[in-house]
Amino acid sequence: MNEQTLFVVQRISAAILAPMVLVHLGLILIAVEGGLSAEEILSRTRDNVGWTLFYGLFVVSAAIHAPIGIRNILREWTRLGWKAIDGLAMLVCVILLVLGMSAVIAVF
Amino acid sequence: MEKENSLRVRVWRGSESGYWTEYAVVARDNQTVLDVVTEIQRKHEPSLAYRFACRVGVCGSCAMTVNGQPRWTCRTHVKKVAHDGQLAIEPLRNLPHIKDLVCDLEPFIDTWQRAGAIFQGQSTRSDPPQKVDPGSKPRKQADSALQCINCAVCYSACDVVHWNRRYLGPAALNRVWTLLNDERHSEQEETFNKAFSRDGCSSCHSHGNCTRFCPVELSPASSIAGLKKMAFSGPQARLAHE
C-alpha cells in the first residue's frame, strides 16, 4: 500500500471512528448507571446484530487507523528501517483485529 | 554609558561541536542582525565565517538562528529581536554546520530534487507561449505560493524535519504545490507521486512553524494541506475541473 493510499485510508477510518467513539462513550455512561455486570452486557449484545455490526466496524476501523499512526511515530522517533516499521505496524493491526473481533464474537 | 549603547552578542563558533563567544557591539538606531555579524567580523573576529550576498532580502543566503528562532538576518532589525540588549546568533537548525554561522545546504537542496520540484514543460521553443488564465483557481493558488527565496528558514523551523531528516520539508513541498497547480507542468503524476513518497507530505503534522517563520510570508503549511487534499482526487482532476 503506498503512502497516498495509507493517508486516505487513515482519514476515512478516522471519520468513521469519530462518531462511533462518541456513541461508545455514551453507551459506557448509560451502561454503568444501571450497574455493570456480565449479565447486563450480554443481555444487550447477545443476538443483537446492530451492536455486533457497530463494534465489528469499530474494531476494523481502529485496527486500520491505529497502526498507520504508530507507523508514523516509529519513523519519527526510532531509527528502525521501513521493513521493520511496516512489519511492526502490521503486527499491531493483526493483534487489534484478533483481540477486537474475538471480543465482539464472544458477546454476540 | 557605554553599556547602554552596546549590545551583548553571543555567537556560535565551531561546527557541530563548538562554543559561544560573547562580543560587545555598538548599538545603533538602524541596525540589522546581519550588520551586527558583519561588525563582529570586521572589528572583533576576522575569522568568523558567515554567509550573505544581497543584503536586501532577495537571495536567501543570510538565514541564521537568532535568539532561538530562524530569521533572515539582513531584514531582521535588532530592536525587534534583542532581549535586554542581548543577542544569541547561531547557525540554522536541521542542517549540518560547517563553520561558525555557515550551514551545509546540500540536504535542503536535495529535498527539492527528491520532491520532484522541477518544472517540466511540454512545448518547444517554436511553440507559441501557452495561455494561462491568471484568474483561475489553480493559478491563483500557485501564485500565492511563489516567491520562495530558498533561505531554508522553514526547513530549520520544521519540527518534523528535526525528527526525521528524510522528510521532504516545507520548502520543497511548497514548490511542488505550485507545479501541481501549473497547467504547463507536464509531469503532474510523477511530481505528485514523489510528493506522496515515503517521508513526503503525509508526514507533515501541520504545526505551522514554516508559515510562522517564512520571511516572505508564504504559507507552506497551506500548500502542504492542499497536497494532502489531493490525496483524495489525484493531481490531474484538480486542473481539469477548476
Side-chain angles (χ1 to χ4, degrees), chain A residues 1-4 7-8 11-12 71-72 75-77 82-83 86, chain B residues 160 163-164 166 192 196-199 202-203 205 228 230-232:
Chain A
M1 216 181 269
N2 65 26
E3 298 299 315
Q4 182 195 353
F7 180 82
V8 170
R11 266 65 193 170
I12 291 172
R71 182 175 175 271
N72 293 337
R75 180 62 173 164
E76 285 169 9
W77 291 92
W82 276 115
K83 262 189 176 175
D86 286 340
Chain B
V160 181
W163 298 327
N164 175 12
R166 293 288 300 168
F192 177 80
F196 257 100
S197 61
R198 284 181 164 174
D199 305 313
S202 62
S203 302
H205 283 239
K228 287 175 176 175
M230 276 190 190
F232 292 86

Side-chain angles (χ1 to χ4, degrees), chain B residues 33-43 48 50 52:
Chain B
V33 174
L34 184 63
D35 292 336
V36 169
V37 174
T38 300
E39 187 161 335
I40 290 171
Q41 196 217 37
R42 291 189 181 169
K43 294 188 177 170
L48 178 69
Y50 69 109
F52 76 98

Side-chain angles (χ1 to χ4, degrees), chain B residues 106-126:
Chain B
E106 191 174 337
F108 173 67
I109 303 300
D110 182 50
T111 62
W112 289 61
Q113 308 290 328
R114 286 194 290 118
I118 299 161
F119 176 80
Q120 186 62 52
Q122 50 205 332
S123 50
T124 66
R125 65 177 62 191
S126 54

Side-chain angles (χ1 to χ4, degrees), chain B residues 40-207:
Chain B
I40 290 171
Q41 196 217 37
R42 291 189 181 169
K43 294 188 177 170
H44 301 274
E45 190 56 73
S47 67
L48 178 69
Y50 69 109
R51 213 184 249 138
F52 76 98
C54 74
R55 297 174 296 167
V56 289
V58 174
C59 73
S61 307
C62 68
M64 301 169 199
T65 304
V66 182
N67 283 354
Q69 298 186 330
R71 302 266 184 193
W72 55 350
T73 56
C74 70
R75 297 287 297 273
T76 301
H77 205 284
V78 168
K79 281 181 180 167
K80 187 181 167 191
V81 291
H83 302 309
D84 299 326
Q86 294 182 48
L87 285 176
I89 307 172
E90 55 193 312
L92 288 177
R93 185 174 78 140
N94 296 343
L95 288 163
H97 298 160
I98 298 173
K99 182 178 184 292
D100 302 338
L101 303 172
V102 178
C103 291
D104 179 2
L105 288 167
E106 191 174 337
F108 173 67
I109 303 300
D110 182 50
T111 62
W112 289 61
Q113 308 290 328
R114 286 194 290 118
I118 299 161
F119 176 80
Q120 186 62 52
Q122 50 205 332
S123 50
T124 66
R125 65 177 62 191
S126 54
D127 293 320
Q130 198 171 335
K131 285 182 180 169
V132 177
D133 176 9
S136 70
K137 192 175 174 188
R139 190 62 238 168
K140 281 181 177 172
Q141 284 179 315
D143 286 344
S144 69
L146 292 173
Q147 309 297 337
C148 171
I149 59 171
N150 305 356
C151 63
V153 161
C154 61
Y155 192 79
S156 174
C158 178
D159 285 334
V160 181
V161 172
H162 191 65
W163 298 327
N164 175 12
R165 295 297 165 88
R166 293 288 300 168
Y167 172 50
L168 290 174
L173 291 169
N174 181 70
R175 169 64 178 159
V176 164
W177 174 246
T178 66
L179 292 177
L180 293 181
N181 279 288
D182 188 343
E183 58 195 272
R184 299 167 304 156
H185 180 57
S186 59
E187 295 188 347
Q188 294 280 328
E189 207 69 39
E190 292 84 346
T191 303
F192 177 80
N193 288 338
K194 283 182 180 174
F196 257 100
S197 61
R198 284 181 164 174
D199 305 313
C201 63
S202 62
S203 302
C204 171
H205 283 239
S206 308
H207 288 168

Side-chain angles (χ1 to χ4, degrees), chain B residues 9-13 18-23 65 67-68 87-91 101:
Chain B
V9 186
R10 292 195 305 140
V11 176
W12 180 257
R13 304 298 314 276
Y19 53 91
W20 292 94
T21 302
E22 187 169 308
Y23 304 93
T65 304
N67 283 354
L87 285 176
I89 307 172
E90 55 193 312
L101 303 172

Side-chain angles (χ1 to χ4, degrees), chain A residues 1 3 6 11 16 25 34 52 54 61 66 72 94 100 105:
Chain A
M1 216 181 269
E3 298 299 315
L6 287 170
R11 266 65 193 170
I16 294 170
L25 291 174
T52 304
F54 178 88
S61 300
N72 293 337
V94 171
I105 291 164

